[in-house]
Amino acid sequence: MTSETKWLNTEESAAWVRLVALAELLPGALDAQLLRDAGLTHFEYGALMAIADAPDRTMRMTELASRTNATLPRLSHVARRLEERGLIERYPCPEDRRATNATITEAGMQLIADAAPGHVATVRETVLDALTQEQLEQLYAIAGAVLTRLDPDSRLTATSCQFSEGPILAHAG
Amino acid sequence: MTSETKWLNTEESAAWVRLVALAELLPGALDAQLLRDAGLTHFEYGALMAIADAPDRTMRMTELASRTNATLPRLSHVARRLEERGLIERYPCPEDRRATNATITEAGMQLIADAAPGHVATVRETVLDALTQEQLEQLYAIAGAVLTRLDPDSRLTATSCQFSEGPILAHAG
DNA sequence: TGCGATTACTTGTTCCGACAACTATTACTG
DNA sequence: CAGTAATAGTTGTCGGAACAAGTAATCGCA
């Protein structure tokens, strides 16, 4: 069964090209600002924020890997580096001694608290300021629709307040 | 001057989290399908398509790097691997002997022609099928607005028919 | 026309992520 | 209550990308 390919029409192609360009450029822009101003990749920043936002500022490695879309080996390497920099600590989970808990240190809290304003500014400058209120709502719906396919379990969006105002910064003041 | 940070409100944060998740997951999904079915990364596929779409199926390295958002060193390495696989050929540009022209071979044309249907199917399954016609137009506008900031020179979107029906596939039939 | 500056690209090193293999602990099952 | 499977993480190896340095050719300009 050789189902004829349904090629993209002009509108579909144009929208797709723009989406691909966006997905290509956005991560680099976020990494560049955070690396320059805080010495963190966007992935590291997100991981630290996720830990900071968790109860007791503590999270299991597997849970963190799921939330950050990382493989466990990748997260393990990143965690080792963050631990060497004194930004997190790892210790065996008492309840399940196979597991490892990661906790963010005061230094880690301080770092993301210092990094957050610049990051939020970048988010505004590169994305939010370019959109109307209506487009913001449309983006929410569109990205949600696509994520239904790409992330059916909502692993990456289950966070409560990953980038907004909230307890994270209150803690580290 | 310590300008107070304007944190994200609930709507902004929710839309942002989804956009980041999308930008995080989409490249991996595209790479996975293309690697599995054609042995090409999405970057390699895009580069081959860009060359195929150029006059005489030929493009300068610098031009190609700009169009694909690659650094020149990165493109040089990728081009070497593609050349080793017989998918492109490189030769010094006669008009400017500093420059290198890359041409896609018949084997390269055949490979992207074979890969295109599966890729387009993935694009539909993961993105386009999830959107209404209205949302498709909104996505075009939203991504365009953001790209004004991220890609003011439209380097990545200057392509004529990178992913749609058109002369590329007609060539390689 | 000759020499410094720029452009175009390649090569080498280093870091990061994917995959595979391994260890340690817990859960299942007859 | 063995013994096997499954889970949670770490470690090792390999390929790819960023950055820096090097090479070759062209441009600018006196």
Side-chain angles (χ1 to χ4, degrees):
Chain A
M1 111 163 203
T2 53
S3 73
E4 277 301 303
T5 294
K6 189 178 163 194
W7 300 107
L8 305 189
N9 64 36
T10 306
E11 284 185 337
E12 289 169 335
S13 179
W16 172 249
V17 167
R18 286 190 176 182
L19 177 59
V20 168
L22 179 54
E24 181 87 17
L25 293 170
L26 190 54
L30 301 178
D31 276 338
Q33 181 268 323
L34 281 168
L35 276 172
R36 175 167 48 81
D37 296 343
L40 290 173
T41 65
H42 183 242
F43 176 83
E44 292 169 332
Y45 180 80
L48 290 176
M49 290 294 271
I51 300 174
D53 195 33
D56 295 327
R57 294 180 190 174
T58 298
M59 196 177 283
R60 296 260 292 257
M61 294 290 283
T62 298
E63 171 72 9
L64 186 57
S66 173
R67 279 239 212 290
T68 57
N69 190 40
T71 60
L72 214 35
R74 175 185 180 186
L75 182 61
S76 184
H77 287 301
V78 171
R80 177 178 47 73
R81 284 172 230 143
L82 292 178
E83 192 169 33
E84 285 167 358
R85 292 170 64 180
L87 302 177
I88 68 169
E89 284 174 354
R90 287 183 294 178
Y91 58 90
C93 175
E95 296 132 17
D96 185 344
R97 288 170 53 204
R98 293 171 298 182
T100 300
N101 282 330
T103 302
I104 188 168
T105 63
E106 279 304 318
M109 292 300 287
Q110 192 62 52
L111 182 59
I112 59 176
D114 292 345
H119 177 59
V120 169
T122 301
V123 171
R124 289 208 176 279
E125 286 161 18
T126 58
V127 177
L128 299 180
D129 286 353
L131 304 180
T132 66
Q133 171 66 27
E134 200 178 5
Q135 285 179 319
L136 189 73
E137 295 164 15
Q138 292 168 357
L139 172 59
Y140 178 79
I142 290 168
V146 176
L147 286 172
T148 302
R149 314 291 181 95
L150 284 174
D151 181 24
D153 300 334
S154 300
R155 295 185 302 122
L156 299 201
T157 49
T159 176
S160 58
C161 61
Q162 193 170 358
F163 293 102
S164 65
E165 56 192 335
I168 297 125
L169 299 167
H171 286 4
Chain B
M1 115 166 206
T2 56
S3 71
E4 277 302 304
T5 294
K6 190 177 163 194
W7 299 107
L8 306 189
N9 64 37
T10 306
E11 284 185 338
E12 289 169 335
S13 180
W16 174 247
V17 166
R18 285 190 175 182
L19 178 59
V20 167
L22 179 55
E24 182 86 15
L25 293 170
L26 190 55
L30 301 177
D31 276 339
Q33 181 268 323
L34 280 168
L35 276 172
R36 174 168 47 82
D37 296 343
L40 291 174
T41 64
H42 183 243
F43 177 83
E44 292 169 332
Y45 180 81
L48 289 175
M49 290 293 271
I51 299 174
D53 195 34
D56 295 327
R57 295 180 189 174
T58 298
M59 195 177 283
R60 296 260 294 257
M61 293 289 283
T62 297
E63 172 74 8
L64 186 57
S66 173
R67 279 235 208 295
T68 56
N69 190 39
T71 60
L72 215 35
R74 176 185 180 187
L75 182 62
S76 184
H77 287 301
V78 171
R80 177 179 47 75
R81 294 191 285 263
L82 291 177
E83 192 170 32
E84 284 167 359
R85 292 170 64 182
L87 303 176
I88 68 169
E89 285 174 353
R90 286 184 294 178
Y91 57 91
C93 175
E95 297 133 15
D96 183 344
R97 289 169 54 203
R98 293 171 300 179
T100 301
N101 283 330
T103 302
I104 188 169
T105 63
E106 278 306 316
M109 292 299 288
Q110 193 62 52
L111 182 58
I112 60 174
D114 293 345
H119 177 60
V120 169
T122 301
V123 171
R124 289 207 177 280
E125 287 162 18
T126 59
V127 176
L128 299 180
D129 286 352
L131 304 180
T132 65
Q133 172 66 28
E134 200 179 3
Q135 285 179 320
L136 189 73
E137 296 164 15
Q138 292 168 358
L139 172 60
Y140 178 79
I142 290 168
V146 175
L147 287 172
T148 301
R149 314 292 181 94
L150 283 173
D151 182 24
D153 300 334
S154 299
R155 295 185 303 123
L156 299 201
T157 49
T159 178
S160 58
C161 61
Q162 193 168 0
F163 294 102
S164 64
E165 56 191 334
I168 298 125
L169 299 167
H171 286 4

